[in-house]
């Protein structure tokens, strides 16, 4: 009998939220090959096994190089719909009740795929998941930080007809050398448009980038935030402002942000009073979806039942759902722990 069985079963049963998920990072090799064939686009890898064997990363950039290559077969609205629906179907089976999804429009615009093609496919899948299962969602348009702020402004302009479908903006891609302050003006405009704001910070980048995200950009939450733990004043500030950190355990392991899951800092974050949450980032590349992330923490970190509840609670509270929706999910969560 697996000694972790009962905690894993509990984590699977919890109503969960996903707050840090790149839809292009859910592209499973099987689906990638099928869509490549459908669109008559060549892939650099001969077989799915050869592709999977390449998923060995030593840092963020190693991964990003493959991530941008993989998504290059997405051309039509139906491709974006199928990708999104496959992900939603998967996590519906894992009791994920609410998702907040990033997409990277610049990575598709640069290949000639129009903004409306991308967003219509993704949005229609989100709407269908709502109709089918009552799964709620938010859509986050992410700016690629290795590109210029002008490029981000151009993307925002393309997004203008679809702003009612977009709930927030984010900042992702290569972190080192591309601090949040590079995007100060575009985020200011986004905030004035009523969009929520989040940014990847402290994944590989220094605590200074987390400071910039909170003090200069004024983010509503921080994606990752691991390296905030190196700065005591920053920890205190994150605690005081009750900022949510969207932590991604399996991603951290695969990208060598942590070297062993037993050393993952998520329980330490909770002990420090930080609002850490569990998320899967790019599950097709990092070896697991939401429940796999919880299972790995349970197997390797000695995480306790109360901490599992806290993580799920933080996920609901840190989402951009209405107070009423949060209360509904919190009630269901608490009932499981009575
Ligand atoms: N884009 C997709 N996944 C990412 C990550 N973990 N960090 C930065 N950019 C990303
Ligand atoms: Zn990410």
């Amino acid at each position: 009998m697996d000694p972790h069985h009962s905690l894993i079963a509990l984590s699977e049963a919890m109503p969960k939220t996903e707050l840090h998920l790149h839809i292009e990072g859910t592209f499973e090799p099987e689906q990638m090959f099928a869509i490549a064939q459908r669109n008559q686009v060549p892939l650099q890898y001969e077989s799915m096994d050869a592709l999977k064997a390449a998923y060995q990363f030593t840092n963020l950039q190693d991964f990003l190089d493959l991530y941008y290559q993989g998504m290059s077969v997405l051309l039509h609205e139906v491709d974006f719909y199928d990708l999104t629906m496959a992900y939603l179907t998967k996590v519906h089976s894992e009791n994920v009740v609410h998702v907040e999804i990033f997409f990277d429009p610049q990575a598709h615009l640069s290949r000639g795929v129009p903004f409306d093609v991308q967003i219509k496919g993704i949005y229609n899948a989100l709407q269908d998941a709502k109709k089918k299962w009552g799964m709620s969602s938010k859509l986050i348009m992410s700016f690629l930080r290795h590109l210029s702020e002008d490029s981000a402004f151009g993307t925002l302009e393309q997004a203008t007809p679809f702003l009612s479908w977009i709930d927030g903006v984010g900042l992702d891609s290569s972190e080192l050398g591309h601090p949040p302050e590079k995007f100060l003006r575009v985020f200011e405009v986004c905030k004035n448009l009523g969009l929520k704001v989040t940014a990847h910070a402290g994944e590989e980048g220094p605590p200074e980038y987390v400071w910039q995200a909170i003090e200069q950009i004024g983010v509503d939450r921080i994606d990752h935030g691991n390296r905030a733990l190196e700065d005591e004043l920053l920890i205190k500030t994150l605690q005081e402002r009750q900022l949510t950190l969207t932590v991604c355990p399996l991603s951290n392991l695969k990208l060598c942000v942590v070297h062993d899951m037993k050393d993952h800092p998520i329980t330490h974050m909770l002990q420090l009073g930080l609002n850490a949450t569990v998320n899967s980032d790019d599950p097709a590349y990092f070896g697991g979806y939401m429940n796999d992330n919880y299972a790995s923490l349970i197997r390797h970190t000695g995480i306790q039942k109360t901490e599992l509840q806290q993580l799920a609670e933080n996920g609901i509270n840190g989402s951009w759902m209405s107070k009423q929706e949060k209360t509904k999910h919190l009630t269901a969560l608490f009932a499981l722990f009575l």
Side-chain angles (χ1 to χ4, degrees):
M1 179 74 174
D2 180 351
H4 303 293
H5 170 79
S6 70
L7 275 192
I8 289 178
L10 184 63
S11 71
E12 288 173 355
M14 294 190 305
K16 291 170 291 287
T17 58
E18 172 98 81
L19 306 182
H20 183 155
L21 183 282
H22 304 265
I23 197 61
E24 298 90 344
T26 69
F27 211 177
E28 291 289 344
E30 290 74 9
Q31 191 176 34
M32 194 185 292
F33 273 75
I35 293 182
Q37 195 169 36
R38 180 165 94 188
N39 289 343
Q40 298 286 295
V41 178
L43 273 172
Q44 290 199 9
Y45 293 87
E46 268 185 18
S47 66
M48 274 180 272
D49 285 343
L51 175 62
K52 287 180 200 169
Y55 291 180
Q56 309 278 351
F57 315 115
T58 57
N59 55 36
L60 174 59
Q61 193 60 50
D62 276 357
F63 154 70
L64 289 170
D65 293 343
L66 270 189
Y67 167 79
Y68 293 121
Q69 237 182 66
M71 68 177 81
S72 69
V73 306
L74 298 167
L75 297 182
H76 308 296
E77 184 179 323
V78 65
D79 304 336
F80 288 87
Y81 180 94
D82 289 350
L83 175 71
T84 308
M85 191 41 90
Y87 163 71
L88 296 170
T89 304
K90 168 77 180 164
V91 295
H92 170 60
S93 77
E94 297 196 347
N95 288 321
V96 171
V97 293
H98 174 79
V99 297
E100 303 194 354
I101 290 185
F102 294 112
F103 74 120
D104 284 335
Q106 287 153 298
H108 311 298
L109 289 169
S110 63
R111 303 182 290 106
V113 180
F115 193 94
D116 70 303
V117 166
Q118 309 170 30
I119 197 167
K120 282 178 186 160
I122 298 168
Y123 184 77
N124 286 334
L126 294 173
Q127 292 300 108
D128 285 352
K130 176 85 194 167
K131 279 185 228 144
K132 274 201 221 186
W133 308 307
M135 186 190 283
S136 52
S137 57
K138 304 284 174 192
L139 187 53
I140 310 173
M141 176 171 79
S142 205
F143 297 123
L144 298 182
R145 68 200 308 157
H146 67 273
L147 301 180
S148 67
E149 190 182 42
D150 270 357
S151 173
F153 270 117
T155 309
L156 182 59
E157 191 159 326
Q158 303 231 31
T160 307
F162 301 98
L163 280 183
S164 66
W165 293 359
I166 298 173
D167 301 283
V169 285
L171 185 65
D172 66 359
S173 195
S174 320
E175 187 180 9
L176 289 169
H178 302 286
E181 66 179 5
K182 181 176 158 188
F183 297 90
L184 212 52
R185 287 152 296 265
V186 75
F187 277 120
E188 198 52 40
V189 173
C190 290
K191 280 197 286 183
N192 288 332
L193 287 168
L195 294 164
K196 293 276 196 186
V197 174
T198 184
H200 284 53
E203 181 184 20
E204 285 188 343
E208 170 60 18
Y209 287 15
V210 183
W211 278 117
Q212 287 182 15
I214 59 181
E215 296 285 28
Q216 293 181 245
I217 308 276
V219 290
D220 294 285
R221 61 184 183 226
I222 292 283
D223 297 313
H224 296 293
N226 300 52
R227 290 195 59 193
L229 297 179
E230 295 169 23
D231 181 333
E232 281 190 24
L233 186 58
L234 182 53
I235 293 171
K236 195 158 166 280
T237 305
L238 291 167
Q239 283 165 348
E240 282 170 359
R241 302 195 194 171
Q242 288 292 293
L243 272 169
T244 294
L245 304 180
T246 65
V247 180
C248 305
L250 286 172
S251 163
N252 291 159
L253 187 66
K254 270 298 225 185
L255 300 186
C256 305
V257 169
V258 302
H259 298 286
D260 193 321
M261 192 56 85
K262 75 174 173 28
D263 301 322
H264 196 281
I266 200 163
T267 51
H268 184 51
M269 288 171 164
L270 293 179
Q271 283 151 13
L272 290 168
L274 297 176
N275 289 346
T277 61
V278 175
N279 305 276
S280 65
D281 205 4
D282 302 283
Y285 291 90
F286 299 151
Y289 288 75
M290 178 59 73
N291 283 349
D292 301 309
N293 274 274
Y294 273 104
S296 185
L297 290 173
I298 292 165
R299 289 190 193 287
H300 302 289
T301 70
I303 196 168
Q304 301 292 304
K305 186 172 166 178
T306 52
E307 294 168 315
L308 294 178
Q309 180 177 353
Q310 187 68 59
L311 288 167
E313 190 176 332
N314 290 349
I316 295 167
N317 285 326
S319 76
W320 296 335
M321 286 186 277
S322 68
K323 200 158 186 308
Q324 197 182 12
E325 288 172 293
K326 288 182 184 180
T327 303
K328 178 183 78 180
H329 295 306
L330 287 171
T331 304
L333 176 69
F334 296 158
L336 206 61
F337 284 83
L338 284 177

